Amino acid sequence: MSAIRALAEQLAHRSDDDLRRLLAVRPDLILPAVPDFAALAARASTRVSLQRALDTVSRPQLQVLEAVTVLSEDDGGPVARSRLLTALTDADPETIDQILAGLVERALVAGTPTSGFLPVGALADALGPYPAGLGRPFRTLARSIPRFGPALIGAVGLVAPEADTNDMTSASAAHVVDVVTADPTRWDSLMADAPDGAAALLARLRDAPVGSTATAGDGGVAPAVQWLLDRCLLAPLDALHVELPRGVGIALRGHAVFTALDVAPPVTVERTTRTSLRDNAAFGAIAETLRLMTALLGSAAATPVATLRSGGVGVRELRRVRDVLRTTEGEAAWLLELGAAVGLLTLDPDDSRWKTSRLDAWESLDRDAQWLLLVEGWLAVDRAPALVGSKLPDGTAINALAAEASRPDAPMVRQRLLTVAMELAGQGGQDDAGSSDALPVLTDRSVVSLASWHQPRLQRRFARLLPGMLTEAASLGLTGGGAVTDAGRLVAAGLFEEAALGIREALPAPVSHVVLQADLTAVAPGYLQPEVARGLLRMSTPEGQGPATTYRFSADSIRSALDAGEDASSILAFLRTHSATEIPQALTYLVEDTASRYGSLRIGRAGSYLRTEDDAVAATVMADPRAAVLGVVQVAPTVLVSPASPQELTALLRDLGFSPASDAVAVARSADSGQPIPPVRITPEQLRSRLNPWSVAEEEISAQLVALRTSGQGSADHGIGSDSETLLGLEALRAAIRSRSRIRLGTADSEGNHVRQVLVPLSVSGGRLRVFDPEKQVEKVVSVHRVMDVEILEGSPADG
């Protein structure tokens, strides 16, 4: 029975709880839903699905998985439990059994301790060409490197003089050299005659099998390198690079695949901090982030953020935003990204500018609701703001809100950050004074190290993204002084509402008053209520940064308030209401003097005008109520103006019985209708971003289980579709490659005819099958999609 059909049978015999656990860790198996267990097994055996699954295994699980893959390839069959224990030095048998059970549960390994274990499907391809950091086997190198096969036959006389080299093929020679390297006694005897430098060169390639070789002073090959090449202990890839064969690599590791199993996670505490310091830092960061976000939205409402033609916010525009917010470029970019993530900033497609959206709804939220909105958006957004400013391969830098900062894996990395943070936070201790109030500080190195242990295949991704995300978490108060806060713990547990409630209780209440000073400034003694802050921004200019902002009054700032519709009495009334002190006389004089000189010239908007020689006509138009709807104003006895368009004014006059004529003078038309459209208020729930949808709900899993249980009772032969047949064919090809057997391959030619040939498969990858035609003595490549059937010819091993 094929491995895919065998896996389908095994899955069918699992309990519903076991299947639920499988689908929870590998949700892609039912996205979209599958009709039966055969299709489920086929999808679980694909390279893409296995690569996703490998990204979620821990370091010890990956080590065992790589060991099973290596040993199954070398032995050509299932790996016995005892063989696996021998290949993992100093491994605890109980730990190995637990890891194997977990891999079987994830459908990455098939088998039992009695029958042995095999990797599932295309797992060997998903792991890459060098599993466990070992090179390719001798037999594979002999097929891949034309000159290495004949060299193996010559090397037999040097490594095993007793062997009979008559009629020896490269395949049999590879077997002989494999036997020598696998025998500790013969390996030690062979290396005892090695020249100086040979052992050091092999040790350098032990964990990274491909490397360069040193040359002698005259430009020739060094004696140690030549000695190793003669005995095929190194495989030449080109003039300067060699590959360490798998058998040699295992011998260098003490005839084991791994010398140690990394079962203990690297949980280390480099330094600690106190609870009071953590909370002060976290609450200060939250207040500052909310203040800066409000300031950014106010700035974008007045002056939208321009973008480049290539997309994103350019360096010059980012510096303008930085100067407005009085912060750093990195923080300005982070705030822009965060505002866009939660929909507070939207890109206008008409002028390619980022504009404020839902400002009224944002300001109507309490601060805890604002914080929760930002946290949920940060967790869900598929972008990495910390990449802004980093260099691309072409030397250019990544701009804020540019496509280059998009990272679909960002939500997953943030979830891993929270998980690692909670794990490190559990390593509490005592400070220097012996107090137990010592909280572990999360450092970049400790976070990346532990995250890489949980998901070792994502180590490079973590090293690039996690340091920046750790800084972002601190800005949101999930950490303070480097230690996880109570809010961070609740967010990590998914208790968002409880976290917001804690923030509400911890943050001081907003203040509604300021302290007016004689130097024409107002000092806010804390976080101001949004309506008070807006009122001050209309009539003054903020200075400095932080919650205790200083606002400066000037003639220009007072004129801005007058332009917004205020007058001297309303300005002074606002200051009296929200000032903890009396209004200084200098400020009163400034307001009254500026207001007295304001308005001596009046400016209005006119979209059209009416000019007549008859005062009675003008009086008739003004007497009609419809003129008021169009905003008609009489500016002279015979001149009327209106913000309406000339067409609208013409229609009104014709309704009144007049026959107006268009004036020859071009009149500038107004771009808007006059009165601003009031913003639409929305609820806080409408502002919140959705979490990453790459998961399956419990209802979907339940529905899938019902479909599986009712589809032929799990028969492996039931409902095998075209995708499953393709995978079965690939499985047969890989089996033939491992056993070095000939196959009868049926393919479709360019005219659709079914052609059968006896061939020797060499390798299959990337949708291409490389084969050897023994009749014509040539190699050729066949597209996998043209393969119609594969039959392994038993008892016909291919010649090497």
Side-chain angles (χ1 to χ4, degrees):
M1 181 184 293
S2 75
I4 292 179
R5 287 189 172 93
L7 178 60
E9 293 287 355
Q10 294 175 13
L11 293 175
H13 287 90
R14 289 192 182 188
S15 67
D16 285 354
D17 290 340
D18 290 340
L19 289 174
R20 287 180 187 277
R21 286 192 290 269
L22 169 63
L23 299 180
V25 296
R26 296 183 64 179
D28 61 293
L29 296 184
I30 58 173
L31 291 175
V34 293
D36 48 43
F37 282 104
L40 182 66
R43 188 174 294 176
S45 302
T46 61
R47 178 174 181 173
V48 173
S49 179
L50 289 168
Q51 284 177 326
R52 289 197 187 104
L54 288 175
D55 288 344
T56 64
V57 300
S58 64
R59 183 168 294 151
Q61 289 176 323
L62 183 62
Q63 287 179 301
V64 173
L65 199 56
E66 289 179 325
V68 170
T69 303
V70 168
L71 296 176
S72 65
E73 287 182 352
D74 292 348
D75 299 345
V79 181
R81 176 178 178 273
S82 57
R83 174 90 165 96
L84 187 60
L85 291 174
T86 304
L88 299 171
T89 306
D90 299 331
D92 178 44
E94 185 176 348
T95 302
I96 297 298
D97 291 341
Q98 292 176 354
I99 294 175
L100 284 171
L103 295 175
V104 170
E105 183 179 273
R106 291 170 177 251
L108 296 174
V109 166
T112 64
T114 304
S115 62
F117 298 94
L118 275 174
V120 167
L123 187 62
D125 291 340
L127 287 172
Y130 306 114
L134 295 169
R136 291 172 289 178
F138 284 106
R139 63 178 183 275
T140 303
L141 292 170
R143 294 196 299 265
S144 304
I145 305 175
R147 55 178 172 165
F148 191 66
L152 272 172
I153 300 175
V156 170
L158 298 176
V159 300
E162 72 284 358
D164 183 9
T165 58
N166 294 327
D167 300 326
M168 180 172 283
T169 64
S170 60
S172 56
H175 176 70
V176 172
V177 179
D178 243 336
V179 170
V180 172
T181 57
D183 188 333
T185 302
R186 299 182 69 177
W187 170 256
D188 292 340
S189 176
L190 177 63
M191 291 305 297
D193 299 331
D196 294 340
L201 176 59
L202 292 179
R204 182 160 56 88
L205 298 173
R206 186 185 68 171
D207 298 320
V210 176
S212 61
T213 57
T215 57
D218 58 355
V221 179
V225 175
Q226 190 62 55
W227 187 87
L228 295 170
L229 291 174
D230 292 342
R231 288 154 181 79
C232 287
L233 302 182
L234 289 178
L237 299 178
D238 53 37
L240 296 177
H241 297 86
V242 295
E243 181 176 333
L244 188 72
R246 180 176 294 175
V248 179
I250 292 177
L252 293 173
R253 297 181 182 184
H255 299 278
V257 177
F258 286 106
T259 57
L261 200 62
D262 298 331
V263 295
V267 181
T268 58
V269 178
E270 299 181 12
R271 63 179 187 273
T272 60
T273 187
R274 297 196 302 274
T275 303
S276 58
L277 296 178
R278 178 201 67 179
D279 292 344
N280 288 340
F283 296 142
I286 292 173
E288 182 67 0
T289 298
L290 297 180
R291 183 191 71 82
L292 289 174
M293 181 58 69
T294 303
L296 172 63
L297 298 178
S299 172
T303 307
V305 181
T307 60
L308 302 171
R309 288 186 177 180
S310 58
V313 179
V315 175
R316 184 175 301 175
E317 184 70 0
L318 183 61
R319 288 173 180 169
R320 183 190 69 79
V321 175
R322 174 203 65 185
D323 294 340
V324 170
L325 300 181
R326 296 177 177 83
T327 184
T328 63
E329 289 186 17
E331 193 164 9
W334 142 250
L335 291 168
L336 285 170
E337 293 275 359
L338 188 60
V342 298
L344 296 174
L345 291 175
T346 55
L347 183 64
D348 189 336
D350 294 331
D351 57 7
S352 297
R353 292 174 181 267
W354 288 91
K355 299 180 179 179
T356 300
S357 174
R358 306 170 179 173
L359 177 58
D360 60 324
W362 165 261
E363 293 181 337
S364 68
L365 295 176
D366 293 331
R367 282 192 295 171
D368 58 294
Q370 291 178 341
W371 173 83
L372 182 58
L373 171 65
L374 298 184
V375 169
E376 288 183 338
W378 176 71
L379 289 174
V381 66
D382 56 350
R383 297 180 59 80
L387 295 181
V388 174
S390 60
K391 296 296 183 181
L392 293 170
D394 60 0
T396 60
I398 297 177
N399 293 317
L401 297 174
E404 290 80 5
S406 177
R407 290 297 298 253
D409 58 345
M412 179 276 297
V413 177
R414 293 189 187 96
Q415 291 295 338
R416 174 55 64 189
L417 169 62
L418 294 178
T419 303
V420 168
M422 292 305 300
E423 195 168 347
L424 290 171
Q427 306 299 311
Q430 293 185 345
D431 56 18
D432 296 338
S435 172
S436 60
D437 185 22
L439 304 175
V441 171
L442 308 181
T443 62
D444 294 349
R445 182 170 59 180
S446 63
V447 169
V448 172
S449 177
L450 183 54
S452 300
W453 183 89
H454 283 288
Q455 295 174 273
R457 286 170 64 91
L458 305 183
Q459 192 274 335
R460 294 178 62 184
R461 194 177 310 182
F462 290 149
R464 188 178 189 195
L465 298 181
L466 281 179
M469 290 181 177
L470 198 58
T471 302
E472 295 164 4
S475 297
L476 292 171
L478 303 180
T479 64
V484 180
T485 62
D486 294 337
R489 294 175 185 273
L490 292 172
V491 168
L495 304 175
F496 295 98
E497 299 298 337
E498 290 82 350
L501 180 60
I503 295 299
R504 172 182 293 183
E505 295 174 349
L507 290 178
V511 297
S512 60
H513 64 276
V514 295
V515 178
L516 296 177
Q517 302 184 120
D519 61 350
L520 300 180
T521 61
V523 178
Y527 178 81
L528 286 174
Q529 293 178 350
E531 59 272 15
V532 179
R534 286 197 303 271
L536 283 173
L537 288 175
R538 283 199 304 269
M539 60 188 68
S540 62
T541 304
E543 295 180 347
Q545 58 185 356
T549 306
T550 300
Y551 298 84
R552 181 169 297 280
F553 298 93
S554 64
D556 290 338
S557 67
I558 298 299
R559 274 193 294 269
S560 298
L562 297 174
D563 289 339
E566 301 279 358
D567 55 26
S569 59
S570 63
I571 294 175
L572 294 175
F574 175 86
L575 294 177
R576 290 191 193 96
T577 302
H578 299 291
S579 175
T581 59
E582 292 291 333
I583 302 178
Q585 191 177 45
L587 180 56
T588 302
Y589 287 164
L590 174 65
V591 172
E592 293 176 345
D593 183 61
T594 304
S596 65
R597 291 183 281 109
Y598 181 82
S600 56
L601 293 176
R602 309 297 295 180
I603 298 175
R605 182 185 298 275
S608 58
Y609 67 87
L610 184 151
R611 182 166 54 86
T612 178
E613 300 296 333
D614 190 349
D615 295 353
V617 172
T620 303
V621 174
M622 291 300 299
D624 194 284
R626 287 172 288 182
V629 176
L630 293 182
V632 178
V633 178
Q634 188 170 11
V635 296
T638 59
V639 178
L640 306 178
V641 296
S642 170
S645 66
Q647 291 82 3
E648 292 174 306
L649 188 58
T650 299
L652 170 66
L653 294 174
R654 286 175 178 170
D655 288 343
L656 296 179
F658 298 103
S659 299
S662 176
D663 204 325
V665 179
V667 179
R669 299 180 58 185
S670 175
D672 58 58
S673 60
Q675 298 297 327
I677 300 175
V680 179
R681 286 194 171 274
I682 58 175
T683 62
E685 287 71 18
Q686 291 175 289
L687 277 171
R688 294 181 182 172
S689 301
R690 295 180 57 203
L691 295 179
N692 195 300
W694 184 247
S695 61
V696 290
E698 184 63 30
E699 294 78 10
E700 295 177 274
I701 295 179
S702 299
Q704 181 64 83
L705 290 179
V706 172
L708 291 173
R709 295 302 186 193
T710 57
S711 60
Q713 300 303 315
S715 173
D717 294 322
H718 176 79
I720 292 285
S722 59
D723 292 342
S724 303
E725 290 290 355
T726 301
L727 289 170
L728 290 172
L730 290 174
E731 181 185 26
L733 288 173
R734 293 189 179 96
I737 293 171
R738 286 195 299 269
S739 61
R740 303 185 297 280
S741 301
R742 298 189 181 190
I743 60 173
R744 182 174 286 109
L745 184 68
T747 58
D749 62 13
S750 59
E751 297 180 355
N753 300 316
H754 191 183
V755 180
R756 287 180 177 270
Q757 296 174 286
V758 176
L759 303 168
V760 179
L762 301 178
S763 65
V764 56
S765 63
R768 297 289 185 269
L769 170 64
R770 191 166 64 90
V771 296
F772 176 74
D773 189 339
E775 181 179 348
K776 299 180 180 179
Q777 292 292 305
V778 295
E779 284 190 12
K780 56 185 179 180
V781 176
V782 180
S783 297
V784 171
H785 73 271
R786 291 187 177 275
V787 175
M788 301 181 66
D789 55 78
V790 180
E791 178 186 357
I792 299 179
L793 302 179
E794 300 293 341
S796 59
D799 294 331

